[in-house]
Amino acid sequence: MFEIFALDIVKRAFLATTLVAPIAPLFGIFLILKRYAFFADTIAHIGFLAIALSLFFNINSLLFLIILSILVSLLVEQLRGKQKLPAEASLSFFLYAGVALSVVFITFSGKGTSIVGILFGSITTVTKEDIYLIAAGAFTCIGFLAKYFKKLLNLCIDEEIAHASGVNTKLINLIFAVTVAVSISISIKTMGAFLVGALIIIPPLCAMQISKSFSRTVVLSILFSLFSSYLGIPLSFYSGIPFGASVGVILIGLFLVSLISRHLKIKF
């Protein structure tokens, strides 16, 4: 079993996972508190479109993915902030548009055989160049969270009160949308466009069932995310199951255990 750790593709997968896994559930906590979890799925589907366009035009997929995801996240946030469209409606539009256009461009690119990895993740698709972009994106997200953590928490609890207390809610919402888009973009390479949301949303849901405080929810979310991601690599390698699906299955198990623990009133 341990011979896989000598392979370069596995080393890169572990490195990418180490960078991505702690960040994804942190944003998931705030998306759940904002009742905006659907945003993660929408940006993930835009990521699917970005990869499809990258295949069609034969360009760097991760860089283009990050750029397009940021642009769409800004547009969605602008529409929501100005109340030109209901948040759910604008998110639904971009989600379905992303899927439809993705299929079109993948069909015309003639590279449809790679669609399983795009949708459900792969440990073999992360290149050395991707690692640098993933690291840059990860540290950008960490910097945002370190600087705005308390303000973002207040904003998620009650945006009107946060604004009245002097928090620039519009600016923080915009930066939050951008950094969520970045975190999703750098996760899609391994988790896949259809399952990246699982790494963002399910670990916080598990932690919320058994944690006694918000700080413990944060810690447990990160631990659940790392555990499922690390275990998902050998599971994917030996079973042939896409990496995102492997992680998703582990997260499902963790969620069921957390529900049982909550029923038994086991708290940490």
Side-chain angles (χ1 to χ4, degrees):
M1 176 179 179
F2 295 103
E3 67 271 12
I4 70 169
F5 298 106
L7 300 175
D8 287 339
I9 57 171
V10 175
K11 290 178 181 178
R12 289 196 294 270
F14 266 100
L15 182 54
T17 294
T18 303
L19 291 167
V20 166
I23 298 170
L26 288 178
F27 283 106
I29 292 172
F30 291 115
L31 287 171
I32 291 170
L33 290 175
K34 284 170 68 70
R35 294 178 174 82
Y36 211 39
F38 195 41
F39 182 77
D41 284 329
T42 300
I43 298 301
H45 284 72
I46 294 300
F48 179 30
L49 172 59
I51 296 175
L53 288 168
S54 300
L55 291 173
F56 184 79
F57 292 109
N58 196 26
I59 56 179
N60 185 300
S61 61
L62 184 55
L63 181 60
F64 185 66
L65 196 162
I66 292 172
I67 293 171
L68 184 61
S69 297
I70 289 174
L71 290 175
V72 172
S73 67
L74 287 171
L75 182 56
V76 169
E77 186 58 31
Q78 283 291 101
L79 291 172
R80 186 187 75 88
K82 294 182 178 180
Q83 298 181 343
K84 291 185 176 181
L85 285 174
E88 295 81 2
S90 58
L91 289 174
S92 296
F93 168 77
F94 284 108
L95 188 152
Y96 296 125
V99 173
L101 292 174
S102 298
V103 174
V104 171
F105 282 106
I106 286 178
T107 300
F108 284 109
S109 72
K111 300 176 181 177
T113 54
S114 60
I115 194 170
V116 173
I118 297 171
L119 294 178
F120 307 114
S122 173
I123 62 173
T124 64
T125 58
V126 181
T127 65
K128 290 182 180 179
E129 292 76 18
D130 289 337
I131 290 294
Y132 294 120
L133 284 172
I134 289 171
F139 286 117
T140 298
C141 294
I142 291 171
F144 166 76
L145 289 172
K147 184 173 183 179
Y148 293 107
F149 192 89
K150 289 184 178 180
K151 290 182 179 180
L152 185 58
L153 179 58
N154 292 334
L155 185 150
C156 291
I157 294 172
D158 195 312
E159 189 166 337
E160 292 184 2
I161 292 177
H163 180 71
S165 64
V167 176
N168 190 338
T169 56
K170 182 177 180 179
L171 176 63
I172 293 179
N173 273 323
L174 283 174
I175 301 175
F176 176 69
V178 168
T179 48
V180 169
V182 171
S183 69
I184 293 170
S185 299
I186 62 178
S187 304
I188 284 178
K189 272 285 187 173
T190 52
M191 284 296 296
F194 277 15
L195 291 170
V196 65
L199 193 66
I200 294 173
I201 300 301
I202 298 181
L205 288 180
C206 294
M208 288 175 180
Q209 308 306 311
I210 58 175
S211 59
K212 294 181 179 179
S213 65
F214 181 78
S215 60
R216 293 186 183 184
T217 298
V218 170
V219 173
L220 287 172
S221 297
I222 294 172
L223 290 177
F224 288 145
S225 180
L226 284 169
F227 173 78
S228 59
S229 297
Y230 285 152
L231 188 59
I233 292 175
L235 177 59
S236 174
F237 185 86
Y238 286 110
S239 68
I241 300 171
F243 176 71
S246 298
V247 174
V249 168
I250 297 166
L251 287 172
I252 291 170
L254 288 173
F255 183 67
L256 293 176
V257 171
S258 70
L259 287 178
I260 295 171
S261 300
R262 181 182 180 180
H263 180 73
L264 296 175
K265 297 182 179 180
I266 299 173
K267 295 284 185 176
F268 295 93

